[in-house]
Amino acid sequence: MMTTLSVQRTVLERFPPGGSWPADEYAAAQRDQGIAARVVMDLSSDQFLVVTDTPSQ
């Protein structure tokens, strides 16, 4: 039997495209609190997003 696992992405914060360092710092602070946060670039909105992924079935 095969189980399909999907991932729900939650945007924790949005940052303007002037540089990724504020987003990186925010993501690091979230990781320090135990939240698996990472930075991605949303090309359609031209913003850096700090996201966390939550597995769901």
Side-chain angles (χ1 to χ4, degrees):
M1 184 166 111
M2 180 187 259
T3 302
T4 303
L5 184 66
S6 62
V7 176
Q8 180 177 350
R9 179 172 289 170
T10 302
V11 177
L12 302 175
E13 192 64 64
R14 299 172 187 270
F15 293 87
S20 67
W21 68 266
D24 290 330
E25 287 184 354
Y26 184 84
Q30 296 303 304
R31 289 191 298 272
D32 288 345
Q33 296 180 30
I35 299 170
R38 60 191 176 94
V39 178
V40 297
M41 180 66 180
D42 180 21
L43 296 176
S44 63
S45 68
D46 195 28
Q47 293 181 326
F48 289 102
L49 307 178
V50 178
V51 300
T52 186
D53 296 331
T54 306
S56 60
Q57 290 183 305

